Amino acid sequence: GQQLNQSPQSMFIQEGEDVSMNCTSSSIFNTWLWYKQDPGEGPVLLIALYKAGELTSNGRLTAQFGITRKDSFLNISASIPSDVGIYFCAGQGRSGTYKYIFGTGTRLKVLA
Amino acid sequence: SAVISQKPSRDICQRGTSLTIQCQVDSQVTMMFWYRQQPGQSLTLIATANQGSEATYESGFVIDKFPISRPNLTFSTLTVSNMSPEDSSIYLCSVDGTSLPVQETQYFGPGTRLLVL
């Protein structure tokens, strides 16, 4: 099925560094969600975005809904070892359908 | 957010058999969804489980292979029928987080890890 493109696909960073990842689509989305999935667990919702240009923070995480509505960005500041995991974006094209398309994922590995 | 549990958490099955996965939510929800996550891959929506009516399946998924029940607003089951090794995946239940006012989100259960031999 259709997927959103996430980049980078994977990344190694040093503890304390900031991390940026993005999600892009050829289609317009009305809602963007960002999830983190730890090994052996289901995805956990980190941030939800509902308006173009919206910037929302959750602790060290900040996400933005792109102005074009075709992309979204997630930043993690001062990374720590527990930030390790796979980060997924998810976009909803039509409000009210509750159907989300998931990104390909960014695998983050933090070196202590 | 809703608390979602799934049973079993994992299973190893023989090809040709069927497995039914249960999803229980601690509050009534309108929409429940079933996803598949193949090894190392992203999530793909299988179907939307509708209370009181047949599930709505996405392209590439059919009721005969993935029958779904939704007997009430807190429970759903997904059966993986006539399994083959290609069905080895994580199966995830999710629910909509909408409450008044409308804000659309989705919350996931812990997943069921299925290995078909």
Side-chain angles (χ1 to χ4, degrees), chain B residues 63-85:
Chain B
I63 188 171
D64 289 346
K65 176 65 177 178
F66 297 102
I68 287 171
S69 78
R70 178 87 194 272
N72 56 53
L73 293 175
T74 63
F75 186 79
S76 177
T77 67
L78 169 76
T79 299
V80 186
S81 303
N82 189 24
M83 288 183 284
S84 67

Side-chain angles (χ1 to χ4, degrees), chain B residues 36-108:
Chain B
R36 181 175 72 184
Q37 185 177 25
Q38 294 177 302
Q41 301 296 313
S42 184
L43 285 73
T44 300
L45 180 63
I46 297 172
T48 304
N50 304 308
Q51 195 266 333
S53 64
E54 277 196 0
T56 305
Y57 289 83
E58 298 300 305
S59 176
F61 298 97
V62 295
I63 188 171
D64 289 346
K65 176 65 177 178
F66 297 102
I68 287 171
S69 78
R70 178 87 194 272
N72 56 53
L73 293 175
T74 63
F75 186 79
S76 177
T77 67
L78 169 76
T79 299
V80 186
S81 303
N82 189 24
M83 288 183 284
S84 67
E86 293 71 35
D87 294 320
S88 298
S89 291
I90 301 171
Y91 291 87
L92 293 151
C93 167
S94 74
V95 305
D96 74 281
T98 299
S99 58
L100 296 176
V102 175
Q103 286 286 333
E104 298 175 5
T105 57
Q106 257 187 40
Y107 298 96
F108 283 86

Side-chain angles (χ1 to χ4, degrees), chain B residues 10-58:
Chain B
R10 60 180 66 239
D11 207 342
I12 301 173
C13 300
Q14 296 295 323
R15 68 174 67 207
T17 63
S18 298
L19 176 72
T20 296
I21 303 168
Q22 298 180 3
C23 179
Q24 180 75 53
V25 190
D26 68 342
S27 58
Q28 293 185 340
V29 293
T30 306
M31 310 291 284
M32 294 181 77
F33 306 89
W34 288 98
Y35 285 81
R36 181 175 72 184
Q37 185 177 25
Q38 294 177 302
Q41 301 296 313
S42 184
L43 285 73
T44 300
L45 180 63
I46 297 172
T48 304
N50 304 308
Q51 195 266 333
S53 64
E54 277 196 0
T56 305
Y57 289 83
E58 298 300 305

Side-chain angles (χ1 to χ4, degrees), chain A residues 28-31 91-99, chain B residues 104:
Chain A
I28 290 174
F29 287 98
N30 293 323
T31 302
Q92 184 195 74
R94 289 175 52 204
S95 296
T97 65
Y98 300 96
K99 290 168 62 169
Chain B
E104 298 175 5

Side-chain angles (χ1 to χ4, degrees), chain A residues 17-105:
Chain A
E17 287 184 349
D18 296 344
V19 176
S20 291
M21 60 189 78
N22 66 67
C23 191
T24 59
S25 169
S26 58
S27 305
I28 290 174
F29 287 98
N30 293 323
T31 302
W32 287 95
L33 306 178
W34 282 93
Y35 291 88
K36 177 175 182 272
Q37 187 176 28
D38 292 328
E41 304 289 332
V44 174
L45 183 65
L46 299 174
I47 292 179
L49 302 162
Y50 301 105
K51 278 177 56 176
E54 180 181 356
L55 188 70
T56 298
S57 293
N58 177 7
R60 294 179 295 106
L61 278 61
T62 301
Q64 184 163 24
F65 193 140
I67 290 292
T68 65
R69 293 168 62 194
K70 293 182 178 181
D71 54 13
S72 181
F73 307 88
L74 176 69
N75 296 312
I76 305 172
S77 62
S79 58
I80 59 178
S82 63
D83 290 333
V84 165
I86 304 176
Y87 292 80
F88 289 103
C89 62
Q92 184 195 74
R94 289 175 52 204
S95 296
T97 65
Y98 300 96
K99 290 168 62 169
Y100 285 87
I101 298 168
F102 278 77
T104 49

